[in-house]
Amino acid sequence: MRLLYNSALTFAASILLLASCSSKPNTDAKTGPAVWGDKPFDGQPFLKYDPKNGDKRIDAFIKNLHKTRGFNGNILVAKHGKIIYENAIGWADYLRRDSLKINSKFELASISKTMTGTAILQLWERGKLKLDQDVRDFFPDFPYEGVTIRLLLTHRSGMMNYVYFTDDIYRKQHLNQRKGITNAEEMALIAKYKPARFNKPNVRFLYNNSNFMVLGSIIEKITGMPYAEYMKQNVFIPAGMKNTAVYSKAVYDKIPVDVVGHDRGTWKYSVAQNFLDGPVGDKGIYSTVGDLLIFDRALRAGRLLKQATMDSAYVPRNPAVHGHFSYGYGWRTFNAPGQQVIYHTGWWHGFRHIYLRDMKNDITIVLLSNLVNGSLLKLDDLFNIVGMPVVRKSAYKGNGDTSDD
């Protein structure tokens, strides 16, 4: 069925429904342990699940996706906070023939951005920063003018991609690729070499890991804490996420998890972590499907941010692609009449994921995979089974209507 709507009315409705963060910090807004009596959010009741009651249609779909499309990973589907299906399918480490378990920790890749964005908005609520504050306020040697926190959150900074820039330096100078580089060292490299940016700030949307690596660096600068420790104390513990942590190659010689990423759709390409697994903020958070459900419930319960702040993160802040898809503050967005799905994808060093939160129908879907292939592009039937919009850009024409193919 075609999705037809008046874009002007939709825009007006979104303005009425969703509050927008101003550049003025809300010093009255307080969240976290101080408000909740130091008692973390209890997410454990949401993890109750009896496989005998699992949705048989989802089970058949996932097993077929594994058989025909090579999906290898963990999946969780919940409605109104209740798990209706979860499973662990395939290998955690093919070379060792270790099987995945439901509590296996995956490198979340860019899903980490949702949590970094949450941390930045916490600091805004607490009056520690302003969204229109310039990066140079924190890093005076930062080589680009006019890059604000708001532009970093929305991927409109115009920065180059630090991953390619740093990789080029390491290869040309034959530097040690086994030791991870820290965020501070990465910021120093940018200040020293002043790599050319892609465009001026706020010209257009350009999805880029540099934006959230810089945000992770700002978190460290403001708080005087390692990113890992701030996230633990202010996001993971308050949310009740007991199986989530930040692991950087700058700290760990070997990341202490059992799940290995496999690239190019084949088991023979197991990915060895290197210096680029050092910077965090854009990636670097490891978690489980269960903890991502708990994160969803903690956000809905207002345990990490005030509702108005959270709503502002979901406002589309870039021109819509195919009439539906945009980006807010650390979240990808899908909007249609009466529908809103907040989500993020991840793709890094042999891991590929999708994490979806249907705000209207209260559906949460988590698929974490450690074998990179196209299986996560074949989820239309899953969306139809659970009763939510198809969240796939190529499923729509330019005006937002459904595609005929």
Side-chain angles (χ1 to χ4, degrees), residues 3 17-18 78-80 296-297 300 314 334-342 356-364 386-389:
L3 294 168
L17 291 171
L18 299 173
K79 284 191 173 184
H80 305 290
D296 165 72
R297 304 326 290 180
R300 287 178 180 271
Y314 305 153
F334 173 96
N335 285 277
Q339 300 284 354
Q340 183 188 40
V341 180
I342 308 303
L356 304 112
R357 304 170 61 220
D358 184 326
M359 306 308 288
K360 176 193 174 185
N361 302 303
D362 195 1
I363 298 169
T364 309
V386 300
M388 63 179 283

Side-chain angles (χ1 to χ4, degrees), residues 22-30 124-127 129 306 309:
S22 70
S23 59
K24 180 181 178 182
N26 183 357
T27 55
D28 293 331
K30 297 187 182 299
W124 172 81
E125 282 192 343
R126 297 167 188 177
L129 58 80
K306 292 177 71 68
T309 305

Side-chain angles (χ1 to χ4, degrees), residues 198-240:
F198 285 125
N199 48 248
K200 294 180 180 180
N202 207 26
V203 170
R204 66 184 179 91
F205 174 80
L206 183 66
Y207 185 85
N208 188 335
N209 280 333
S210 294
N211 295 302
F212 279 74
M213 183 280 295
V214 174
L215 288 173
S217 304
I218 289 173
I219 290 170
E220 294 187 333
K221 195 80 167 184
I222 289 175
T223 65
M225 301 167 66
Y227 172 85
E229 186 63 21
Y230 180 86
M231 298 302 290
K232 177 182 177 180
Q233 296 298 332
N234 294 272
V235 178
F236 307 151
I237 290 178

